Amino acid sequence: MSLMDYIPKVKCGRCDRSYSGLKIKCPYCGAGRGRGGKRASDAAGAQARRMIQILLLLILVISVVSMAVLDLSPDPDEGTTPPDTTQGTGEENGEGNGEDNGEPGEGGDIADLLPGVLPVIPTPTPVAAEVTSVDIDWSARRGDINEMTLRIGEQVTLAAVVWPTDTEEVPHWTSSIPTVANPTVHADDLRRATIEARSVGDTIVSVTVGDRTAEVIVRVRRP
């Protein structure tokens, strides 16, 4: 039985032909249903309308349920674990941590090489302060005079005046003619040296600290 079987028939009052109760005019002669046509009973028309409403409601419910089922269905792309593309540890072939062949694995840290031993961090070597100036001073020096005259056998203690004073650079004392006068460095203070006049002549005693050098002219005369 189809849907059309539930729709009542209406008989036209003009041509006396039956047609569907859903139409408002006779499809054969064009006469309106309200103009003397024989209509189905009100109960039959109401029943037809209810059937149509029920069918429309069923269609609507089926559509809503179908949409809900589609929304609740799981996404095939969700919940799947992506394949692990990282390189294995190599435990299967003995290349990882070297447990099978006694060798450290590739990429291992110091803990793999020396278990239980912390790595030794080298202590940075302090950088010596750069020397900006050097001068030679002695007790009998007067002003900026940079020379002295000694008699054979005399001794004078020289002191290297270095700036900055906290530099760790080691002074180096020399003499251009050691046979005339030669500096002897003090063991307890490398910035001090004693010269002794040995023979007649002139010599230059110098001290070098870093890249700075100071000089003093020493003239040795007979007693």
Side-chain angles (χ1 to χ4, degrees):
M1 184 178 292
S2 63
L3 177 61
M4 300 302 295
D5 295 334
Y6 292 97
I7 300 175
K9 300 291 184 179
V10 176
K11 196 170 185 180
C12 178
R14 179 184 297 178
C15 65
D16 201 23
R17 293 184 179 184
S18 298
Y19 59 91
S20 174
L22 295 176
K23 300 182 180 296
I24 61 176
K25 289 184 180 182
C26 177
Y28 305 104
C29 64
R33 291 175 55 179
R35 297 180 181 181
K38 295 181 180 179
R39 304 174 59 186
S41 64
D42 293 340
Q47 182 180 4
R49 288 191 295 272
R50 284 197 297 271
M51 291 297 297
I52 294 174
Q53 291 175 356
I54 291 173
L55 290 175
L56 293 176
L57 182 60
L58 287 175
I59 294 173
L60 179 61
V61 170
I62 292 174
S63 300
V64 172
V65 171
S66 300
M67 295 177 62
V69 171
L70 292 176
D71 291 340
L72 294 177
S73 60
D75 190 348
D77 296 335
E78 294 181 356
T80 59
T81 303
D84 187 6
T85 58
T86 58
Q87 186 177 0
T89 59
E91 294 181 357
E92 296 81 5
N93 53 16
E95 294 180 357
N97 52 18
E99 292 181 355
D100 298 334
N101 52 19
E103 297 179 357
E106 295 182 359
D109 53 14
I110 190 66
D112 296 331
L113 301 176
L114 299 175
V117 179
L118 295 177
V120 178
I121 300 176
T123 303
T125 303
V127 179
E130 182 179 359
V131 178
T132 58
S133 65
V134 177
D135 195 9
I136 297 177
D137 196 11
W138 60 95
S139 60
R141 184 176 182 181
R142 298 292 182 265
D144 295 333
I145 298 176
N146 205 32
E147 64 177 51
M148 67 175 67
T149 301
L150 301 178
R151 302 295 178 181
I152 295 177
E154 285 188 281
Q155 294 182 349
V156 175
T157 298
L158 307 179
V161 181
V162 184
W163 185 262
T165 58
D166 60 348
T167 182
E168 296 182 1
E169 295 285 355
V170 178
H172 296 279
W173 295 87
T174 59
S175 174
S176 60
I177 306 177
T179 57
V180 175
N182 192 48
T184 301
V185 181
H186 294 197
D188 58 344
D189 187 357
L190 301 181
R191 297 188 182 184
R192 299 171 66 85
T194 298
I195 59 173
E196 179 181 0
R198 296 179 177 179
S199 61
V200 175
D202 297 337
T203 185
I204 297 176
V205 176
S206 61
V207 60
T208 300
V209 184
D211 58 354
R212 303 289 178 173
T213 301
E215 299 177 344
V216 58
I217 300 174
V218 179
R219 307 181 187 279
V220 178
R221 302 292 181 257
R222 294 185 182 277

